[in-house]
Amino acid sequence: MDLAGIINGYLRRVPAWPLYMVAALWGGWLFWLAATGQLGVEPINRLEREYGELGLKFLVLSLTVTPLRKWTGVNLIRFRRAIGLICFFYIVAHFGVWTLLDVRSLDRVWADILKRPYVTVGMSAFALLIPLAITSNNLSVRRLGAQTWRKLHRLAYPTAILAVIHYLWLVKGFQIAPFVYLAIVLGLLAARIRWNRRLAAA
Ligand code: HEM
């Protein structure tokens, strides 16, 4: 058996629920650090950023599941739903910290969403994540049909692009991290387009 087969054999025995637990504990731990003043001089802003970056990491990770299988044979498909939902929960936390602890005024929340372009773009990415999260269950796959469901979940690509634009727009001065995310997302998107073209030509 090849290495990918051995890894897949081990992975088949690992349930998805520990992933949810670790993500929840990590999110809670960050919150506790912020609440007890152990997250630097601006704990609310830092917490907001930590959740945002975690959400983006899981979003990108969810997009790498298929390419990883195609390129290496390692199959993480059993964990894809958990990865996607964890992304969503971190972004809900990101949005929650921003609205409830940072801005703390409904008028300003609306004003920022409408007037600050990086917030508008972040909000658009969040809006696209909602149908993906709502349909991340077997019942939705059955109701929509596998093909429609797959089409709907391609929304993850524009979501990731909007999320990276959000990041690029909000950083002050030059920072390498958002460009690294941009390169990864564009690379994954290009690979997806190439596969689809090959499939159409076959
Ligand atoms: C898919 C959705 C989203 C993703 C992936 C995302 C990701 C991120 C990332 C990576 C950062 C920077 C973290 C860092 O500096 O290390 C960030 C910051 C931020 N995001 Fe988001 N975000 C999303 C949605 C939103 C939404 C819906 C809002 C509010 C409406 C928002 C508001 C902010 C704010 C205010 C900051 C911090 C700006 C500052 O430090 O002044 N984001 N986000």
Side-chain angles (χ1 to χ4, degrees):
M1 202 193 282
D2 62 354
L3 183 63
I6 296 169
I7 295 174
N8 289 339
Y10 281 115
L11 287 175
R12 261 194 292 277
R13 281 180 239 150
V14 182
W17 63 262
L19 218 61
Y20 290 106
M21 261 188 64
V22 171
L25 285 173
W26 189 248
W29 168 248
L30 286 171
F31 191 87
W32 187 79
L33 287 180
T36 52
Q38 298 177 73
L39 217 54
V41 282
E42 285 186 73
I44 291 175
N45 183 265
R46 175 81 190 281
L47 185 67
E48 192 175 299
R49 285 173 165 261
E50 291 283 346
Y51 285 154
E53 185 132 16
L54 279 165
L56 184 56
K57 280 188 177 131
F58 276 87
L59 183 57
V60 171
L61 192 63
S62 74
L63 297 179
T64 60
V65 172
T66 302
L68 190 73
R69 180 168 53 82
K70 292 200 178 184
W71 287 328
T72 68
V74 173
N75 195 349
L76 294 178
I77 201 95
R78 290 183 52 239
F79 305 101
R80 190 161 62 179
R81 180 176 295 170
I83 293 170
L85 285 173
I86 289 168
C87 156
F88 180 70
F89 292 135
Y90 278 134
I91 295 305
V92 169
H94 178 59
F95 180 65
V97 172
W98 179 69
T99 46
L100 301 175
L101 302 177
D102 191 353
V103 180
R104 284 185 290 168
S105 135
L106 204 59
D107 287 348
R108 256 202 64 204
V109 165
W110 279 119
D112 274 8
I113 290 173
L114 297 176
K115 284 192 199 132
R116 293 170 97 176
Y118 80 85
V119 178
T120 316
V121 175
M123 204 59 211
S124 313
F126 185 33
L128 291 185
L129 272 182
I130 294 170
L132 300 184
I134 291 174
T135 56
S136 283
N137 54 70
N138 294 341
L139 186 67
S140 297
V141 181
R142 272 199 304 275
R143 278 205 179 142
L144 293 170
Q147 217 178 354
T148 310
W149 187 90
R150 262 201 301 273
K151 265 191 198 154
L152 176 71
H153 278 250
R154 281 191 207 141
L155 274 181
Y157 283 95
T159 308
I161 290 172
L162 287 171
V164 173
I165 295 174
H166 166 68
Y167 195 0
L168 280 164
W169 217 324
L170 70 91
V171 292
K172 291 163 190 92
F174 177 78
Q175 280 186 36
I176 191 76
F179 287 99
V180 172
Y181 284 110
L182 178 69
I184 296 172
V185 170
L186 290 181
L188 292 169
L189 185 62
R192 161 75 64 175
I193 291 170
R194 248 184 54 197
W195 288 325
N196 284 355
R197 278 211 189 126
R198 258 194 234 154
L199 217 67

